[in-house]
Amino acid sequence: MARIFISTGEVSGDLQGSLLTMSLKRLAAATNLELEIVGLGGSRMANAGANILGDTAGIGSVGILESLPYILPTLQLQRQAKQYLQNQPPDLVVLIDYMGPNLSIGNYIRRRWPKVPIIWYIAPQFWVWSPPWQNTARIVSIADRFLAIFPEEADYLQKQGANVTWVGHPLADRMETAPSRDNARAALGIEGEQVAIALIPASRQQEIKYLMPAIFEAAQIIQNKLPQVHFWIPLSREALRQPIERAIENYGLQATLLEGQTLDILAAADLAIAKSGTVNLEIALLNVPQVAIYSVNPVTYWLARNILKFSIPFMSPPNLILRKLIVPELLQEQASAENIVSIAMELLLNSERRGQMLADYGEMRESLGGVGACDRAADVILKLLTEACR
């Protein structure tokens, strides 16, 4: 039996890992390859058939100060994984995003088993923010192959001397199972012309503090302007349920919090107000107008801009794909309730503005590589695995 070890983190990484796991399992079965997948991930990867050595879905963060509480839990999970791998070495390793922890795992694998192939699927977005102190060569040297999901990502890695294959974006596959707008609204019991707005305030603990207040205050203002509105909130992690429910009550929102129905909620919405992240791309692929916001600790932001010299042209994936402003972005001090409301009301009431965003979505969709990204990635991985096991 061949063994693949997958290392990922955060909610989005768990999603990508689960989609890849399903493709790997299906393609392996088609060729009668006995395959075991073990890794660091979350419940989605586990449900897809991976043996999860440690749950990393809930320990991710963005920012310098924000990451401090997660250093020890991350090190403990990595220690558990390394102890397991010492007794049951992998035949191939897949790293998914998650730069710092995966650099550690990759270095460990390279030292301990130098001939084991390492594939980095969905490279960390250093190709976007490019701080002057980054060690791109170190990242590139760890992986035998990069599987890129963005064309710009593939171009950047190739220029750095990496062996890279552009496979396209896996969310194009996920959208194949998404419901239509009518079916999603029926499933949620949304009647007639009722205005449905999806709120996506958090997948990380820090976002409860730095993002949710502005999003919920904006929702409160919108509710006062449009009394018929109803807000729908997908629950990404059970640990976030209590603070979100408490905030719904405190802000007096007409809102429903649901677990396990993210695609229904997004597909049914007339508008989404969302944290910046992978979910922005899901929303775009479902043709739902949106505004993206992000905010971190003010000290983190100051250090990033003034000391570390971070330069981020765009933060939302739809904008990164075409390198132009498709989705309105509100970052840090701009991420106020008033600004969110202004953009949200325009998208709800201005048909020309909505139409332009939907047209841009169409252009973006053409750059994703089409359906089959997960299978294309899995095919490359299994071919390298077969060569390594000879």
Side-chain angles (χ1 to χ4, degrees):
M1 176 180 288
R3 181 178 297 112
I4 293 177
F5 173 71
I6 298 178
S7 174
T8 189
E10 303 196 290
V11 171
S12 61
D14 183 35
L15 170 61
Q16 308 294 10
S18 70
L19 296 173
L20 179 62
T21 296
M22 287 188 284
S23 284
L24 286 169
K25 290 275 189 179
R26 186 177 64 255
L27 294 187
T31 58
N32 296 316
L33 172 64
E34 290 189 65
L35 181 64
E36 179 187 14
I37 298 177
V38 299
L40 295 172
S43 60
R44 280 174 162 158
M45 280 181 62
N47 293 337
N51 174 19
I52 298 301
L53 306 179
D55 189 345
T56 57
I59 61 173
S61 62
V62 172
I64 301 165
L65 300 181
E66 292 84 347
S67 67
L68 296 179
Y70 300 103
I71 292 175
L72 184 57
T74 298
L75 292 175
Q76 290 173 335
L77 288 177
Q78 290 203 331
R79 190 178 304 114
Q80 293 174 19
K82 290 172 183 177
Q83 288 173 348
Y84 176 91
L85 293 173
Q86 284 176 8
N87 298 321
Q88 302 189 64
D91 296 299
L92 182 143
V93 173
V94 179
L95 308 175
I96 299 180
D97 199 357
Y98 207 41
M99 184 170 73
N102 274 343
L103 273 173
S104 175
I105 288 285
N107 282 324
Y108 172 77
I109 297 292
R110 186 60 75 211
R111 290 194 308 269
R112 182 87 180 183
W113 301 284
K115 293 185 179 180
V116 168
I118 297 176
I119 296 174
W120 210 314
Y121 175 50
I122 309 176
Q125 289 190 350
F126 57 81
W127 58 276
V128 175
W129 36 261
S130 299
W133 44 264
Q134 74 169 19
N135 190 348
T136 304
R138 180 183 170 208
I139 296 169
V140 169
S141 69
I142 284 178
D144 298 286
R145 180 77 64 88
F146 283 85
L147 301 180
I149 62 173
F150 295 114
E152 288 273 355
E153 174 192 356
D155 290 344
Y156 178 89
L157 289 167
Q158 284 176 338
K159 290 175 182 176
Q160 303 303 315
N163 186 352
V164 56
T165 300
W166 177 50
V167 295
H169 205 292
L171 286 189
D173 296 352
R174 175 167 159 80
M175 291 305 110
E176 288 291 287
T177 63
S180 68
R181 172 182 165 82
D182 289 343
N183 288 343
R185 289 174 76 89
L188 296 175
I190 301 173
E191 298 180 355
E193 298 302 313
Q194 184 186 52
V195 178
I197 297 180
L199 303 180
I200 299 90
S203 62
R204 305 179 180 101
Q205 194 66 41
Q206 71 184 77
E207 292 162 347
I208 292 292
K209 178 178 180 179
Y210 293 112
L211 296 182
M212 190 166 69
I215 290 176
F216 276 29
E217 184 182 345
Q220 186 182 57
I221 296 171
I222 292 170
Q223 185 172 283
N224 290 335
K225 293 176 179 287
L226 303 172
Q228 76 276 22
V229 74
H230 193 87
F231 300 100
W232 297 86
I233 307 170
L235 182 67
S236 60
R237 295 195 296 118
E238 184 61 33
L240 303 179
R241 179 185 295 276
Q242 188 174 5
I244 293 176
E245 287 180 340
R246 187 163 53 245
I248 290 172
E249 182 178 354
N250 290 342
Y251 284 91
L253 298 183
Q254 299 164 178
T256 301
L257 177 65
L258 291 176
E259 183 178 11
Q261 289 185 260
T262 300
L263 287 183
D264 282 331
I265 289 173
L266 298 182
D270 297 292
L271 172 76
I273 302 172
K275 50 158 280 182
S276 179
T278 302
V279 70
N280 302 138
L281 188 53
E282 292 182 283
I283 294 166
L285 289 171
L286 290 168
N287 276 332
V288 174
Q290 63 179 306
V291 53
I293 78 167
Y294 211 80
S295 184
V296 294
N297 186 301
V299 176
T300 293
Y301 185 73
W302 188 89
L303 290 171
R305 293 298 296 265
N306 297 286
I307 304 300
L308 301 178
K309 304 298 182 183
F310 273 79
S311 177
I312 306 174
F314 300 107
M315 63 179 179
S316 177
N319 298 339
L320 288 171
I321 292 171
L322 291 184
R323 294 285 176 148
K324 73 176 186 179
L325 194 66
I326 298 174
V327 174
E329 297 181 345
L330 298 173
L331 177 63
Q332 207 61 20
E333 67 273 0
Q334 294 181 342
S336 66
E338 292 76 14
N339 287 341
I340 295 171
V341 170
S342 176
I343 296 172
M345 294 302 294
E346 182 184 16
L347 288 171
L348 283 172
L349 302 177
N350 187 328
S351 59
E352 184 176 340
R353 181 69 182 87
R354 290 171 65 89
Q356 181 59 57
M357 184 175 287
L358 298 184
D360 289 338
Y361 282 170
E363 183 183 356
M364 177 212 71
R365 191 176 291 107
E366 293 177 0
S367 301
L368 294 183
V371 174
C374 294
D375 282 357
R376 289 189 288 272
D379 184 60
V380 173
I381 291 168
L382 292 178
K383 285 178 179 176
L384 289 175
L385 177 66
T386 301
E387 294 173 4
C389 291
R390 283 175 183 167

